[in-house]
Amino acid sequence: MIRTYPHGVTCWIDTEQPDPAAAAEFYAGLFGWTLTDAVPPGAPGSYLVATLDGQDVAAIGPGDGPAVWNTYVAVDDADETAGRVPGLGGTVVSGPEDAGPGGRTAACTDPQGAPFRLWQARRRPGAQLTNAPGTWNFSDLHTPDRAAAMAFYGPLFGWRDADMAQDSGVMLQVPGYGDHLAATVDPGIHERQASAPPGFADVIGGLLVTADEPAHWHVTVTVTDRDDSAATAERLGATVLRSAEGTWTRTALLRDPQGAEFTVSQFTPPDGW
């Protein structure tokens, strides 16, 4: 079954890199991705779609600025949603425009300056494999002002912010998303998450209040072994910026060889979970 994403759910990640071919070599070596150019032969540009087990997981594209990871939010109508961004205090940087037959997109920033993308799916609904080793786990909004961020994202996407129990931090939810998953690609989600904090099935991201860095969206990738992945990343030219031990995860913040930062996360739930 094809995985679909309701309006307001984070649905896709890609990284813009000065040298996409070099980035492809790095990420294929780190996560085992197979990369295929989605741009037809003879057409300008490139967009390397990464797959694991034949399923779309992420992409690598060219970028003129610093290397960065992008997070996309699914929308029913990119033009309508982009049209509401300025009135809520955000900025539409580019688009809306067609991204080939895959869908329609727009690049935006929120009122605190965090860049994000809109995605109206056509042929490509979004990531088809997530939360497995080598695939996207989560995107977190790093922002200096939780209330101001929610005053923007809440009306735009229908998000709620919730202080989760069990040291899970502040989570962003789309009410009913868990029921959508249960009715489509994950029929056992509610039973499997019976011991998780209430509402966890509706979570589509996290929110961290940070005052010492620019507002941005940060991408986390699931791995089997944090230490092994960090060592592999270093061997491939990345920098390990820091590691952390949490109640639920062991993580490492990495900077890839061209400068894009992301986190690898090993799931280590408490005993009895």
Side-chain angles (χ1 to χ4, degrees):
M1 179 181 290
I2 294 175
R3 180 169 183 169
T4 58
Y5 293 85
H7 180 91
V9 175
T10 47
C11 64
W12 185 243
I13 55 171
D14 64 17
T15 178
E16 294 175 273
Q17 299 272 340
D19 187 339
E25 186 174 351
F26 170 77
Y27 285 104
L30 181 59
F31 296 133
W33 292 350
T34 297
L35 290 126
T36 305
D37 199 343
V39 176
S46 67
Y47 193 70
L48 305 175
V49 174
T51 58
L52 271 179
D53 298 327
Q55 299 185 78
D56 294 354
V57 296
I60 299 171
D64 296 328
V68 65
W69 274 98
N70 301 308
T71 294
Y72 291 69
V73 182
V75 294
D76 294 332
D77 187 319
D79 294 80
E80 189 276 335
T81 304
R84 292 194 288 120
V85 166
L88 293 167
T91 302
V92 178
V93 178
S94 64
E97 59 189 357
D98 288 337
R104 191 162 173 82
T105 188
C108 307
T109 59
D110 70 17
Q112 287 70 50
F116 66 97
R117 304 287 176 88
L118 306 178
W119 184 250
Q120 178 186 341
R122 290 173 180 158
R123 222 178 255 184
R124 291 189 180 275
Q128 293 301 298
L129 181 63
T130 62
N131 300 317
T135 72
W136 181 34
N137 168 242
F138 233 50
S139 287
D140 294 308
L141 173 64
H142 293 214
T143 181
D145 191 329
R146 174 179 174 179
M150 290 311 301
F152 172 77
Y153 289 107
L156 190 66
F157 296 131
W159 289 356
R160 295 179 183 172
D161 57 329
D163 294 279
M164 287 283 181
Q166 303 178 22
D167 296 325
S168 296
V170 181
M171 295 296 181
L172 301 169
Q173 299 169 309
V174 170
Y177 180 48
D179 292 337
H180 172 83
L181 290 171
T184 55
V185 294
D186 195 352
I189 186 171
H190 292 306
E191 292 77 13
R192 192 176 65 256
Q193 294 187 356
S195 300
F200 195 76
D202 291 338
V203 167
I204 57 87
L207 186 151
L208 283 75
V209 176
T210 57
D212 58 350
E213 59 182 344
H216 68 283
W217 279 91
H218 185 81
V219 166
T220 295
V221 177
T222 297
V223 295
T224 302
D225 186 304
R226 187 269 315 266
D227 295 335
D228 180 67
S229 293
T232 299
E234 273 194 313
R235 188 175 70 251
L236 294 169
T239 302
V240 179
L241 300 176
R242 63 175 178 268
S243 297
E245 316 289 329
T247 302
W248 297 90
T249 59
R250 303 177 73 224
T251 62
L253 175 63
L254 307 179
R255 180 181 292 139
D256 76 17
Q258 297 184 65
E261 294 184 7
F262 64 102
T263 291
V264 292
S265 176
Q266 174 188 350
F267 185 47
T268 54
D271 291 340
W273 186 81

